[in-house]
Amino acid sequence: MKRELKDMFQVLQFKDFGDERGNLVVIEGSGKDLPFTIERVFYIYGSDSTVIRGNHANLNSEFVMINVAGKSKVKVDNGTESEIIELDRPMMGLYLSKMLWKEMYDFSPDSILLVMSSEHYDEAEYIRDYDRYLEIMKEEEDE
Ligand code: TYD
């Protein structure tokens, strides 16, 4: 069955307990602020405006991305539609479902892109070939 792009990602707004001492953003997993239990966290920094990262889809992993510093853009693509989301606030998250093709790019020099995932790292669940991704999406659509 075909899944529409709008049902495959979501912009999230996290609670910001800012006061005169500064800001504190809280993200609780397991269905509270994230729709999954966090199994993995990684972050990307030192990429610049010429770099395109990602370029893959995941068979199982769901992700939430946050630019905790600086900004970047994320292009999400389900094989038929695509959309670009700019991440530019530490309290803004981007939820990505499994089987979404993604590209991260246009990193500001101070960008730190924090990523939380529902799964441990497993290279076998990464689809890194766009034509293969289109084939799998087509098979899913026909089911
Ligand atoms: P890569 O998938 O190219 O990163 P991105 O899609 O964010 O640009 O990963 C770069 C390298 O890091 C690659 O050798 C795999 C390794 N890696 C891990 O070992 N564990 C992880 O959780 C991630 C995201 C990458």
Side-chain angles (χ1 to χ4, degrees):
M1 222 197 24
K2 181 160 167 49
R3 278 182 301 159
E4 287 185 44
L5 182 64
K6 67 175 176 53
D7 299 324
M8 297 179 77
F9 75 95
Q10 194 182 352
V11 172
L12 307 172
Q13 186 72 26
F14 300 118
K15 286 190 274 305
D16 188 343
F17 293 97
D19 59 28
E20 63 286 353
R21 298 170 299 165
N23 300 305
L24 187 154
V25 178
V26 176
I27 302 162
E28 296 205 47
S30 309
K32 286 196 163 185
D33 301 306
L34 300 186
F36 54 75
T37 303
I38 300 164
E39 294 292 352
R40 174 164 57 122
V41 174
F42 56 94
Y43 43 95
I44 294 168
Y45 65 99
S47 293
D48 65 26
S49 60
T50 66
V51 163
I52 303 177
R53 302 200 61 124
N55 274 316
H56 48 58
N58 293 75
L59 289 169
N60 301 317
S61 296
E62 299 166 68
F63 298 96
V64 168
M65 299 182 161
I66 306 168
N67 254 105
V68 291
K71 52 187 179 180
S72 69
K73 294 194 180 88
V74 184
K75 183 179 174 191
V76 292
D77 178 347
N78 70 352
T80 49
E81 304 166 85
S82 68
E83 200 162 316
I84 293 165
I85 300 100
E86 180 159 16
L87 296 177
D88 57 2
R89 281 168 287 140
M91 68 295 284
M92 172 191 183
L94 175 63
Y95 166 76
L96 305 177
S97 75
K98 63 182 182 175
M99 288 309 289
L100 195 54
W101 189 267
K102 50 208 168 296
E103 296 174 12
M104 298 84 85
Y105 65 102
D106 212 2
F107 297 92
S108 62
D110 57 345
S111 171
I112 303 176
L113 180 61
L114 177 71
V115 185
M116 290 162 284
S117 176
S118 62
E119 308 295 324
H120 290 292
Y121 182 69
D122 174 11
E123 181 58 34
E125 64 113 19
Y126 277 70
I127 305 160
R128 295 183 183 273
D129 181 89
Y130 190 67
D131 289 337
R132 177 72 192 124
Y133 171 70
L134 292 179
E135 273 172 25
I136 296 171
M137 292 305 275
K138 184 83 181 62
E139 284 161 18
E140 258 191 28
E141 204 179 305
D142 294 341
E143 272 169 21

